[in-house]
Amino acid sequence: AQKVTQVQTEISVVEKEDVTLDCVYETRDTTYYLFWYKQPPSGELVFLIRRNSFDEQNEISGRYSWNFQKSTSSFNFTITASQVVDSAVYFCALRAGNNRKLIWGLGTSLAVNP
Amino acid sequence: NAGVTQTPKFRVLKTGQSMTLLCAQDMNHEYMYWYRQDPGMGLRLIHYSVGEGTTAKGEVPDGYNVSRLKKQNFLLGLESAAPSQTSVYFCASSYEPRQPQHFGDGTRLSIL
């Protein structure tokens, strides 16, 4: 079975705090892809990152970083020095094997308060 | 840079009415998807298409039909709208499943 679990349903932080959003996945396939998307209050869904199962290098993009650990089946997302504009719902998703569809987590709602 | 365009953005229907949601993409993507998003339930796949002339069921297909007569368009139809179909509908497209999906801005549909 394939499954994505986003551990936190809601997170609330104060601006400038660091925050980590956890994503745990399940698949028996050895080839798979993991994705993170952002949905700000305006409603659109924005692609953030894709990682394949053969590339365990961590990724950093500005204040955003992603930690992929196959040993724990996790693909966690950290925002450093959070800002109010980071307030959004963040979704983690999995595409495994020959599946033509994405398996989505239920999302983590992040509120960054001034 | 139009990307994925959904029409309309908002609509209110009465129970039993029918309507069609249009999704158009200009990226020459093969794959197209229709999702619905409800509070606390994330994104649920309704139907998808792997190319012109093809359609397939997702996890919540009942009450919906789709058509992909042209590669760039993917239509979602509600034949007899029900209040349970009140939702935000998103269309997405991708070149192939390993690539990121690109989303439209959504259609907010209310059925009274």
Side-chain angles (χ1 to χ4, degrees), chain B residues 13-33:
Chain B
L13 290 178
K14 294 182 179 179
T15 297
Q17 287 185 318
S18 62
M19 80 160 294
T20 300
L21 279 65
L22 171 64
C23 177
Q25 54 95 3
D26 62 1
M27 296 172 282
N28 202 35
H29 285 167
E30 292 292 335
Y31 285 70
M32 296 187 75
Y33 309 83

Side-chain angles (χ1 to χ4, degrees), chain B:
Chain B
N1 281 348
V4 179
T5 303
Q6 290 184 232
T7 310
K9 296 190 185 306
F10 303 95
R11 186 73 183 268
V12 178
L13 290 178
K14 294 182 179 179
T15 297
Q17 287 185 318
S18 62
M19 80 160 294
T20 300
L21 279 65
L22 171 64
C23 177
Q25 54 95 3
D26 62 1
M27 296 172 282
N28 202 35
H29 285 167
E30 292 292 335
Y31 285 70
M32 296 187 75
Y33 309 83
W34 275 109
Y35 293 93
R36 59 178 290 174
Q37 184 177 31
D38 303 290
M41 304 189 75
L43 289 164
R44 293 185 292 169
L45 183 65
I46 305 172
H47 286 280
Y48 65 102
S49 168
V50 303
E52 181 178 314
T54 75
T55 63
K57 293 180 180 180
E59 57 181 303
V60 289
D62 293 342
Y64 304 95
N65 56 74
V66 287
S67 64
R68 184 105 181 263
L69 299 179
K70 293 183 178 181
K71 186 177 183 178
Q72 63 268 34
N73 295 337
F74 194 29
L75 279 62
L76 177 70
L78 286 72
E79 291 186 347
S80 180
S84 61
Q85 294 176 306
T86 293
S87 188
V88 180
Y89 292 85
F90 285 98
C91 176
S93 71
S94 68
Y95 184 67
E96 49 101 332
R98 293 173 295 181
Q99 298 299 325
Q101 293 182 11
H102 298 261
F103 284 81
D105 289 340
T107 295
R108 187 172 296 275
L109 183 61
S110 294
I111 299 163
L112 307 177

